[in-house]
Amino acid sequence: MSVLKPFSKLPGLKTATILLVEREEQFQQSLADALVEETGVTVNVRLAKSLPLPVENEESRPRIDLVVFIINLTSELSFQSAEASLKYLDAGYFLGKVCFMVTNARNTLVPTNRLDGVRKLAASLQCPLLFAEDQTPDGVSNATERLLAILKVAAGLVPMATALYLSNLTRCTVPPDIDQPSFD
Amino acid sequence: MAAAELSETAHTELLDRCEEQFAQLEKLQNEIILSEPDLCENPQEQAVNRLIATEAELKQWLTMEPKLLAENSEILLQAGKEEMLKLCSELEMIVLCYEAKRDKLKETKELEEKWLDEKKQMLVTATHHVDRLQKEKEKLPEHSVLQDTKIKIQKMKVYQERLMECLGDILEKHVPLPQSETNKKKKNNPQEMNEDLISLNEILELLMNKVLNTPHDPYVTIDSTFWPPYIEMLLRYGIAIRHQENNFKIRLEPFY
């Protein structure tokens, strides 16, 4: 089982590598295009449908600073695929180098317990949970900015801020009444 | 770092520093690779992991001391300038953010004040109303209700007495007691029982009183003081009816 390890390789100079994992392989494309436009830092974007990553690229792949799981709330398979991929990540990643991004949260077709499930998952792993809107360019650029902020910290490019520290501040918490029915 | 206007010494110093840091990095990297990674997917162990890592980081931060970035003043100047610019832009952003917050709070405060004013006004009008009602209640003495009722009862009594007087007068005029000499309307009864006969007025009064005083037994027993033709008349006109079993008892028929 090829587990992705956070510190197995040396980091590049003034570079940050982000891995976007998405089963539908749609949002990651537009995100990737926006992410590489960042000027201050060289951003490497790797795309994957799920983990584990193919063994062939093992050598040439740079050290991955941030793993982002993109979950589309309208599909149950998206959530399940993300959950299954979690097994292939080393525990060291969960100290601030993993982030969950959720799309279509405002869609009325989404059952409420799916978002609760994602929340609980993110809270159990103490990772931040971001909500993104993938249909408009504004939504994409907003999501890009937030990912870049977390990425820069995870790559160690922000002085005085470590990934662990940031994740302690931004981690997802589950409200205590999450299992009670809401008044929608 | 912009190496544009740096002198030779600054340049070399920078490179030396970079080399030092890179060597340190490689050393640490090797240590990490060699140390045993433990595969723990259990969330509880996850939290423990986090705790250990946070504690280690904390210890690191506590022992760290601020040290000079480089000996060379040029490097320091450049680095300082860049930092200052970045800091200025970040602080400006913070200022804008707080100004926006403050404006929002001002708006909220104004709305709340308006609400408070409205409520105060309502309170003032309500207290006025209460005062007015209390004053009116004071003006009206408690006795007055009682007195009003007494006056009403008095009036009703007077009215009733007048009615009874009228009734008596009419009955006297049109339905008098059978006298020995004058017997206008009634049959001539040969039997002499004039002395004990009571007038129709009195019969009616008896019936009325019985009904009002003892509603469970409104029957009046007929005796010799009742002149039979009167009884017949009352019965025929439906003013009184006989008791079902006892023919000597009659009562007033309620008529509306």
Side-chain angles (χ1 to χ4, degrees):
Chain A
M1 185 161 79
S2 55
V3 167
L4 205 59
K5 295 207 173 62
F7 295 113
S8 50
K9 299 190 190 168
L10 282 175
L13 197 61
K14 241 189 164 185
T15 47
T17 312
I18 187 170
L19 173 66
L20 301 173
V21 180
E22 185 192 3
R23 189 176 172 277
E24 288 79 19
E25 294 182 310
Q26 279 175 340
F27 190 27
Q28 50 182 212
Q29 282 296 336
S30 30
L31 268 182
D33 293 333
L35 279 167
V36 294
E37 285 174 24
E38 170 69 13
T39 51
V41 171
T42 313
V43 180
N44 286 330
V45 183
R46 313 290 283 197
L47 305 176
K49 187 168 169 171
S50 68
L51 294 176
L53 297 176
V55 185
E56 305 87 55
N57 299 342
E58 188 84 39
E59 288 304 316
S60 58
R61 194 184 305 133
R63 176 178 99 156
I64 298 197
D65 297 309
L66 182 65
V67 179
V68 182
F69 288 97
I70 301 178
I71 299 179
N72 188 341
L73 278 182
T74 51
S75 125
E76 181 71 22
L77 294 167
S78 192
F79 181 30
Q80 284 170 351
S81 151
E83 256 188 309
S85 306
L86 287 172
K87 292 197 275 288
Y88 297 96
L89 274 185
D90 183 69
Y93 265 108
F94 292 108
L95 298 173
K97 288 181 182 281
V98 168
C99 165
F100 287 90
M101 180 168 264
V102 158
T103 58
N104 286 327
R106 280 187 278 192
N107 198 326
T108 45
L109 299 167
V110 169
T112 42
N113 52 6
R114 199 173 289 160
L115 178 58
D116 286 348
V118 174
R119 261 223 165 93
K120 282 186 189 164
L121 178 66
S124 68
L125 298 167
Q126 280 135 12
C127 299
L129 178 65
L130 300 176
F131 291 85
E133 201 260 286
D134 56 341
Q135 305 292 337
T136 62
D138 267 345
V140 170
S141 62
N142 280 339
T144 314
E145 273 179 32
R146 301 169 77 192
L147 280 180
L148 276 172
I150 302 182
L151 176 63
K152 281 186 199 167
V153 173
L157 297 167
V158 176
M160 307 300 263
T162 59
L164 182 60
Y165 185 54
L166 185 66
S167 82
N168 274 336
L169 287 176
T170 58
R171 63 196 169 104
C172 179
T173 50
V174 165
D177 59 352
I178 196 166
D179 286 322
Q180 284 165 18
S182 61
F183 295 95
D184 283 329
Chain B
M1 277 242 255
E5 300 122 14
L6 290 176
S7 64
E8 195 59 43
T9 43
H11 210 79
T12 37
E13 178 154 5
L14 265 179
L15 283 173
D16 284 341
R17 282 292 173 132
C18 288
E19 290 282 349
E20 267 179 65
Q21 293 289 67
F22 202 67
Q24 175 91 344
L25 185 65
E26 276 181 330
K27 197 175 80 163
L28 287 170
Q29 187 74 29
N30 287 334
E31 275 184 40
I32 288 170
I33 291 176
L34 288 173
S35 66
E36 286 265 317
D38 43 352
L39 279 173
C40 50
E41 291 134 29
N42 204 351
Q44 271 101 338
E45 300 212 28
Q46 197 64 248
V48 168
N49 236 2
R50 194 166 261 260
L51 182 65
I52 296 172
T54 318
E55 279 180 357
E57 214 180 279
L58 179 67
K59 216 164 62 167
Q60 188 97 34
W61 282 119
L62 285 175
T63 54
M64 203 170 86
E65 285 167 9
K67 57 182 193 321
L68 213 53
L69 183 61
E71 290 295 333
N72 194 311
S73 55
E74 284 180 40
I75 302 172
L76 289 174
L77 189 65
Q78 280 286 12
K81 265 200 236 172
E82 282 181 21
E83 275 300 313
M84 284 297 183
L85 287 172
K86 224 173 29 163
L87 200 64
C88 282
S89 62
E90 277 176 15
L91 284 172
E92 273 173 12
M93 243 185 353
I94 294 179
V95 164
L96 286 172
C97 183
Y98 272 101
E99 274 179 0
K101 249 195 194 173
R102 181 197 59 189
D103 292 337
K104 194 86 216 292
L105 280 174
K106 266 194 192 156
E107 255 176 66
T108 320
K109 179 183 156 212
E110 271 170 32
L111 283 173
E112 293 285 323
E113 273 180 355
K114 240 195 268 182
W115 184 87
L116 180 68
D117 277 337
E118 271 175 36
K119 295 297 168 211
K120 274 189 179 155
Q121 263 183 355
M122 264 175 46
L123 180 67
V124 162
T125 39
T127 36
H128 276 163
H129 195 69
V130 162
D131 284 338
R132 241 199 347 232
L133 285 175
Q134 272 187 345
K135 276 194 202 134
E136 277 184 22
K137 187 180 145 205
E138 277 169 19
K139 276 190 225 159
L140 235 57
E142 279 172 23
H143 291 309
S144 68
V145 175
L146 202 63
Q147 279 176 357
D148 284 344
T149 324
K150 275 188 184 166
I151 291 170
K152 277 193 192 142
I153 292 176
Q154 199 70 18
K155 279 194 196 156
M156 288 309 281
K157 276 190 181 164
V158 165
Y159 187 52
Q160 200 217 13
E161 279 187 27
R162 232 180 38 156
L163 285 177
M164 291 304 277
E165 276 183 38
C166 284
L167 179 66
D169 287 341
I170 292 172
L171 290 176
E172 260 187 51
K173 220 166 62 167
H174 299 285
V175 192
L177 271 175
Q179 311 272 329
S180 43
E181 307 99 278
T182 51
N183 231 350
K184 294 266 159 80
K185 284 191 178 170
K186 299 296 155 199
K187 286 194 218 152
N188 223 340
N189 199 339
Q191 289 174 352
E192 297 280 333
M193 25 183 203
N194 295 334
E195 299 84 22
D196 296 335
L197 284 178
I198 52 179
S199 66
L200 189 60
N201 194 3
E202 281 165 7
I203 297 175
L204 284 174
E205 269 186 42
L206 261 177
L207 283 168
M208 281 195 283
N209 287 339
K210 204 66 176 32
V211 158
L212 288 173
N213 292 339
T214 58
H216 57 276
D217 181 26
Y219 291 98
V220 172
T221 320
I222 306 175
D223 56 10
S224 54
T225 57
F226 288 29
W227 197 38
Y230 281 167
I231 308 293
E232 274 308 311
M233 189 175 81
L234 288 178
L235 287 172
R236 278 201 202 153
Y237 283 118
I239 300 171
I241 52 171
R242 276 191 227 271
H243 191 255
Q244 284 131 347
E245 287 147 26
N246 187 350
N247 275 2
F248 289 103
K249 284 197 182 170
I250 56 169
R251 68 171 166 96
L252 202 62
E253 175 72 18
F255 51 94
Y256 299 107

